[in-house]
Amino acid sequence: MNAEKFIQRLCLVLVTLYFGVSLAGPLTALVVSSLQSGDDGSAANLAGRLTDPRLVRAAGNSLWVGALTSAITTALALFYAYGLTRARLPLKGIFAAAGQIPLLAPSLLSALALVYLFGVQGLLRPWMGEASIMGWQGIVIANVIATFPHALLVLRTALSASDGRLYEAGELMGRSGRSMFLAVTLPGVRHGLVSAALIVFMLTIADIGAPKVVGGSFDVLALEIYEQVLGQQDFAMGAAVALAMLAPTALAMGIERWAASRQSAALSARSTPLVLKPHLARDTAMLTGCSIIAAGLVGVIAVCQFASVAAFWPYDVSFTTKHYDFNRFDGGGWQALGNSVQLAVFTAIGGALLVFANAYLLEKTKPHRVVRGALSGFSLLSAAVPGLSLGLAYVFFFNNPANLLNGLYGTMAILVLATITHFYTVAHLSATSALKALDPEFETAAAAMGRPFWMVAARVSFPISTPALIETALYFFVNAMTTVSVVVFLYGPHTKLASVAVLNMDDAGDVAPAAAMGMMIFYINLAVRIAGETVLTRVRASTTRGKVS
Amino acid sequence: MSEAIDVASLSKTFGGQAALSDVSFSVPEGAFACLVGPSGCGKTTLLRILAGLETPSSGQVLLNGSDATRLNPASRSIGVVFQSYALFPNLTAAQNIAFGLHGKDWPRSNKQARVDEVLALVGLSGLAKRKPVQLSGGQQQRVALARALAPRPRFLLLDEPLSALDPHVRGALRAELKDIQRRTGVTTVMVTHDQEEALALADLVVVLRAGRLEQAGSPRHLLEQPATPFVADFVANMNIIEARAESGERISIGATVIAGVVHGLAPGAALSVAAAQGNTRLTDAALPAACPARVRAVEFAGRQLRVIARLEAGGTLIRAHAPLGSPVASGDVIGVAFDPQSLRVYAGAP
Ligand SMILES: Nc1ncnc2c1ncn2[C@@H]1O[C@H](COP(=O)(O)OP(=O)(O)O)[C@@H](O)[C@H]1O
Ligand SMILES: [Mg+2]
């Protein structure tokens, strides 16, 4: 075996090990725990728990809000992504930025905004009549806002991979814009649509923020786990519900894989970039629609910002910073914000490198079929595991004295591991598509020149992919800052996090401080995002000069 | 007795699907060989096996007499030019070329000199600092060639290097490629689906069809003695006509009997006849040895006309030449006659 094969295998072993510790082990522990604990420890035990009427109702509720949110978000995101990529929209940069805003804030913030606007003491309450925001409708609206950027990211990428030649060919054949949309555009993003819908569905059913803040008495699975574990300390029941939550996600994953297998390459080496011609009707419709969506997204943040500096919303709106004096409230204070930044930095760097290394190994080194299947399976599996289930699985796996890695429990390391794993799939998909866009003969050409694969990776593939690498790091950063579900069972006394603090402060009735903390997370993410964009612009300018068009 | 490249009974299957079956041929030291055949016949697969980028399912590859079947690409002393060129887009022409110059044979001091040398060889001396996007198709092709030749490989492998270029550039580059090959003396195997290109460049033409070797030989050998109707058609551009053996030295095409054709087959056996276009004459349909045909198209072909006609017997399309100004038009019924001695006869219907 030569050095190249050896390094390649070593990398594969390391990645496999990573997935073993981060995913396979914890999930196994989750299954075992749901069967074992309690009085006798049998499958019947689990079955009994899973047929609990309360649980069945919560499951139905989760599916309903998940599916509805998924449909609405995907449709809106497709529209918005289409506007960004296929229409001549003025101020595209601003629209693109607005589309990402909810990503920068914890999903709770959109729920808080709904309370501020439509709640019992909401600003718009007088105009609402008998209608109420509390219940499934609140959860759906909050989640549509919170998950919008996730869907947008996937769909925008899918729509950008357009081959101008196809549209020119269509135009020459006299096909209308609408028939080209149906014949070329939609099939081209089919996989993106399914992925987007799937991701939104997962995020929604795993979300505890919105159900807690605007759910009222509407019970969902995520809340059920949370209550079982943190409220009643019934870990076995928690495990059972966490498993139950895996069923719909596994099904969704199956659909996603099916769609992916039917997806053919969107871009060939000879693709030409799409040149957009002005089209008044399309451009006007897009501008109007995108403006409404963007205004909604910006509005949510604006409301929270105003409310967080108002002395007593909505009665006394005089300016105050007292809600930002976090150390006066429970939740971890300013230290929690520091911890969150630390988590985000480690997650960004570790996650981006890991994702690219794994995607590179899978795409470019042609590992054995079985290894390849296992690694890409794991890469996609993480999206099938709702954050709460993953977090709880980590509790069972790591908080076990028999586990050599037991020492990780309650540390920053376990939070980083869980967060990378939770957000792995989307990053993996975009890394994979970035690498797929490279000429597959690069590695072969290098091999023919007697150069090992890592030379090509280091000198060609990674440098060309630097923009995608930075994007991935930014994606991990902002998600690590905002996630609640995956870390809510895992933080320790010294690793309290800002996003969890938002939840806890709201729970304790400190709504304005919760909004204030959410705003701090938002501003940190915004600063990082802007810094990231600046770097990206520079890097792109230097790499696109040498990029095959 | 061993040649520079010996390919022995090579087969390759992809998931049960045979891409190559039992292919054998040899390429002498310093020769220019062309693998030619229609798209999908296994040319690229064969080239990749020669390069060590693919392992054959069975059979052997000998390079300079020693078994190289399982040797990795780096140890084969090969240079490869890919169909897509596979130039690294973020590296300059010079950096692309230097990428393959590594190890103890290429200390820093020699590298630069060698890069300059091969850039001069392919006529791109001034463009060392350009990135691939700043080069035309033909220039990218030259960089790819320079990159393959830089480490002084013993073998040069090219996969359809000219097919992405426009015909004008292609013609010029073709001549240049041949010239560079002659000057460097590197044993070369080039894949092409263009038989004209193969005949123009190669010392040895290897014809593949559906993963099988049809014939290997010099261009002249293939043109004069095509071993199969496929070679006669694909390489020599001959007319292939369905016929039947008659007693004695006679064959029949439809109702037309042609005498003086040696075939050695039992009367009544189906056979295929290959007739060079130069040996396909247009005559009066009433002549006894002429096969009646209907003219489908008349085209200008240089200083003569090319007539495409459909034989009434069997419906085969045949091509023939006629002098400029011949009174032949689409729809005419004409006779097609052959010089019996120059016909090539193959057992079996086409
Ligand atoms: N990696 C592969 N996997 C499966 N089938 C392949 C692969 N490479 C080539 N083939 C098949 O082998 C046959 C020969 O392909 P190829 O060598 O590329 O043909 P050519 O270069 O002559 O056009 C084709 O039918 C092709 O589909
Ligand atoms: Mg080919």
Side-chain angles (χ1 to χ4, degrees):
Chain A
M1 187 160 61
N2 60 21
E4 179 161 12
K5 275 254 156 18
F6 178 75
I7 302 271
Q8 197 173 315
R9 296 218 178 133
L10 186 67
C11 293
L12 286 171
V13 167
L14 288 178
V15 174
T16 311
L17 219 58
Y18 164 81
F19 280 121
V21 169
S22 72
L23 212 49
L27 288 182
T28 312
L30 181 69
V31 174
V32 170
S33 310
S34 73
L35 290 172
Q36 262 175 1
S37 36
D39 6 282
D40 53 359
S42 66
N45 209 339
L46 174 64
R49 289 199 185 97
L50 290 181
T51 48
D52 184 289
R54 198 178 137 87
L55 184 55
V56 171
R57 196 185 58 241
N61 288 347
S62 277
L63 286 179
W64 162 242
V65 292
L68 190 61
T69 308
S70 178
I72 297 174
T73 310
T74 308
L76 290 178
L78 178 65
F79 182 89
Y80 205 86
Y82 192 86
L84 287 178
T85 53
R86 305 292 178 88
R88 288 174 64 115
L89 218 54
L91 306 173
K92 238 176 214 185
I94 307 261
F95 277 106
Q100 294 210 9
I101 280 183
L103 196 61
L104 305 180
S107 63
L108 270 153
L109 213 57
S110 49
L112 289 178
L114 292 182
V115 172
Y116 280 132
L117 289 175
F118 309 111
V120 181
Q121 290 159 9
L123 194 62
L124 305 178
R125 181 73 229 182
W127 288 279
M128 285 173 59
E130 285 308 297
S132 165
I133 195 69
M134 293 295 165
W136 61 266
Q137 59 276 40
I139 302 178
V140 169
I141 299 174
N143 272 307
V144 165
I145 298 169
T147 58
F148 180 83
H150 294 266
L152 181 62
L153 192 79
V154 174
L155 291 172
R156 198 181 161 191
T157 312
L159 277 168
S160 329
S162 60
D163 187 346
R165 293 175 311 163
L166 295 178
Y167 292 91
E168 283 167 4
E171 201 178 325
L172 291 173
M173 289 185 274
R175 300 291 294 269
S176 69
R178 204 183 63 124
S179 80
M180 283 306 286
F181 180 81
L182 295 177
V184 177
T185 311
L186 267 191
V189 296
R190 186 175 47 206
H191 180 207
L193 279 173
V194 176
S195 296
L198 170 83
I199 289 160
V200 171
F201 179 80
M202 295 307 170
L203 287 170
T204 304
I205 68 171
D207 181 45
I208 42 176
K212 238 175 135 33
V213 177
V214 289
S217 58
F218 192 78
D219 198 15
V220 294
L221 276 183
L223 214 51
E224 195 62 28
I225 302 182
Y226 185 76
E227 300 279 308
Q228 292 296 345
V229 172
L230 292 185
Q232 309 180 14
Q233 298 286 313
D234 184 349
F235 282 81
M237 188 64 187
V241 187
L243 265 188
M245 220 153 116
L246 263 164
T249 53
L251 178 71
M253 234 18 236
I255 299 171
E256 202 274 345
R257 282 295 80 203
W258 174 78
S261 69
R262 293 169 53 108
Q263 170 90 349
S264 54
L267 279 183
S268 74
R270 297 193 216 289
S271 295
T272 60
L274 180 65
V275 179
L276 293 168
K277 302 204 177 95
H279 184 301
L280 192 64
R282 176 197 69 196
D283 294 343
T284 315
M286 285 293 151
L287 180 61
T288 314
C290 290
S291 300
I292 294 171
I293 295 174
L297 300 178
V298 174
V300 163
I301 291 297
V303 165
C304 287
Q305 178 57 73
F306 282 130
S308 73
V309 291
F312 188 48
W313 178 278
Y315 308 112
D316 176 3
V317 293
S318 59
F319 178 83
T320 173
T321 57
K322 67 177 181 189
H323 304 308
Y324 284 79
D325 191 2
F326 298 132
N327 291 345
R328 289 197 306 125
F329 308 98
D330 284 343
W334 284 93
Q335 179 58 38
L337 209 54
N339 288 340
S340 276
V341 171
Q342 208 178 52
L343 169 65
V345 169
F346 288 141
T347 304
I349 297 171
L353 292 179
L354 182 72
V355 161
F356 265 80
N358 179 38
Y360 190 84
L361 286 172
L362 282 176
E363 275 308 308
K364 303 294 182 183
T365 68
K366 309 271 176 284
H368 188 272
R369 209 159 35 83
V370 175
V371 179
R372 193 186 155 80
L375 288 186
S376 49
F378 277 130
S379 307
L380 299 164
L381 178 63
S382 74
V385 183
L388 280 174
S389 304
L390 189 69
L392 193 56
Y394 272 45
V395 174
F396 292 123
F397 185 64
F398 289 99
N399 190 19
N400 177 349
N403 189 333
L404 289 175
L405 300 170
N406 182 227
L408 288 180
Y409 193 68
T411 65
M412 182 56 77
I414 196 176
L415 293 175
V416 173
L417 189 70
T419 312
I420 291 178
T421 307
H422 182 49
F423 292 105
Y424 198 93
T425 301
V426 177
H428 173 75
L429 291 174
S430 68
T432 303
S433 63
L435 291 173
K436 266 198 211 297
L438 304 180
D439 189 338
E441 300 283 28
F442 284 163
E443 278 70 22
T444 348
M449 287 185 270
R451 298 297 245 177
F453 74 89
W454 66 79
M455 282 286 305
V456 199
R459 286 204 54 198
V460 181
S461 306
F462 276 42
I464 298 179
S465 310
T466 308
L469 206 81
I470 295 175
E471 287 275 15
T472 307
L474 289 174
Y475 172 80
F476 273 120
F477 186 97
V478 296
N479 279 303
M481 283 300 293
T482 56
T483 186
V484 174
S485 65
V486 75
V487 292
V488 75
F489 298 136
L490 293 176
Y491 68 91
H494 304 294
T495 53
K496 287 184 174 163
L497 297 171
S499 52
V500 181
V502 179
L503 183 73
N504 289 339
M505 286 194 283
D506 175 75
D507 216 18
D510 298 326
V511 182
M517 183 66 101
M519 288 311 297
M520 284 314 298
I521 294 175
F522 171 75
Y523 288 124
I524 290 171
N525 272 340
L526 187 66
V528 167
R529 189 75 232 190
I530 289 173
E533 285 301 332
T534 316
V535 175
L536 270 174
T537 315
R538 294 236 178 109
V539 173
R540 284 212 186 93
S542 70
T543 55
T544 46
R545 246 183 291 130
K547 192 152 188 163
V548 267
S549 51
Chain B
M1 74 141 262
S2 67
E3 305 277 14
I5 301 175
D6 273 304
V7 169
S9 307
L10 216 56
S11 296
K12 174 73 183 177
T13 52
F14 288 109
Q17 203 76 349
L20 289 174
S21 335
D22 198 23
V23 173
S24 306
F25 64 91
S26 307
V27 184
E29 176 83 38
F32 196 130
C34 275
L35 299 178
V36 62
S39 184
C41 71
K43 307 179 295 289
T44 297
T45 306
L46 180 47
L47 198 79
R48 290 173 64 91
I49 291 175
L50 291 179
L53 297 167
E54 206 85 69
T55 19
S57 309
S58 64
Q60 266 195 323
V61 174
L62 304 184
L63 296 178
N64 293 316
S66 54
D67 187 359
T69 316
R70 316 226 156 244
L71 211 55
N72 63 18
S75 324
R76 293 186 181 215
S77 186
I78 46 159
V80 185
V81 174
F82 293 88
Q83 197 165 358
S84 65
Y85 309 156
L87 293 177
F88 303 130
N90 59 328
L91 305 185
T92 62
Q95 286 170 331
N96 262 287
I97 294 168
F99 195 87
L101 302 176
H102 57 98
K104 58 180 176 348
D105 296 346
W106 298 102
R108 205 166 257 287
S109 51
N110 292 7
K111 250 192 214 176
Q112 191 53 50
R114 181 59 181 160
V115 170
D116 293 341
E117 195 180 348
V118 285
L119 273 170
L121 179 70
V122 299
L124 289 181
S125 291
L127 304 181
K129 294 214 157 54
R130 295 267 185 98
K131 292 207 172 157
V133 276
Q134 300 165 312
L135 297 168
S136 72
Q139 289 169 334
Q140 289 183 22
Q141 172 53 247
R142 287 162 202 256
V143 175
L145 182 61
R147 184 174 73 173
L149 287 172
R152 297 187 207 282
R154 302 180 71 160
F155 307 98
L156 177 64
L157 308 177
L158 309 124
D159 193 354
E160 311 224 10
L162 306 174
S163 64
L165 304 171
D166 56 74
H168 188 70
V169 183
R170 198 186 305 171
L173 251 172
R174 183 156 96 184
E176 215 168 308
L177 182 62
K178 178 79 181 175
D179 182 53
I180 290 170
Q181 192 268 339
R182 206 176 286 135
R183 279 197 278 156
T184 53
V186 60
T187 307
T188 301
V189 179
M190 179 176 120
V191 162
T192 174
H193 62 259
D194 180 350
Q195 97 287 356
E196 203 186 311
E197 196 170 283
L199 294 173
L201 285 170
D203 305 311
L204 172 74
V205 178
V206 178
V207 185
L208 293 175
R209 177 200 192 187
R212 295 184 178 278
L213 179 75
E214 287 277 310
Q215 190 174 12
S218 68
R220 178 160 181 185
H221 183 74
L222 261 61
L223 287 173
E224 290 177 351
Q225 295 171 48
T228 65
F230 176 79
V231 177
D233 174 24
F234 189 78
V235 180
N237 248 319
M238 292 165 121
N239 291 312
I240 310 294
I241 300 146
E242 185 178 354
R244 194 162 291 280
E246 300 292 338
S247 59
E249 295 184 345
R250 294 184 311 150
I251 61 168
S252 59
I253 300 173
T256 312
V257 176
I258 301 175
V261 183
V262 184
H263 56 74
L265 295 168
L271 52 82
S272 311
V273 171
Q277 288 182 36
N279 176 31
T280 305
R281 284 175 295 111
L282 304 181
T283 62
D284 192 334
L287 287 180
C291 310
R294 187 175 290 275
V295 176
R296 303 297 304 257
V298 182
E299 303 167 347
F300 289 98
R303 301 203 52 78
Q304 51 188 348
L305 295 176
R306 182 188 299 118
V307 178
I308 298 163
R310 189 181 288 281
L311 285 187
E312 291 193 342
T316 322
L317 276 185
I318 55 119
R319 290 148 298 174
H321 294 301
L324 273 183
S326 304
V328 54
S330 194
D332 289 357
V333 174
I334 53 164
V336 179
F338 309 99
D339 166 20
Q341 254 101 62
S342 328
L343 286 179
R344 296 194 58 83
V345 177
Y346 306 94

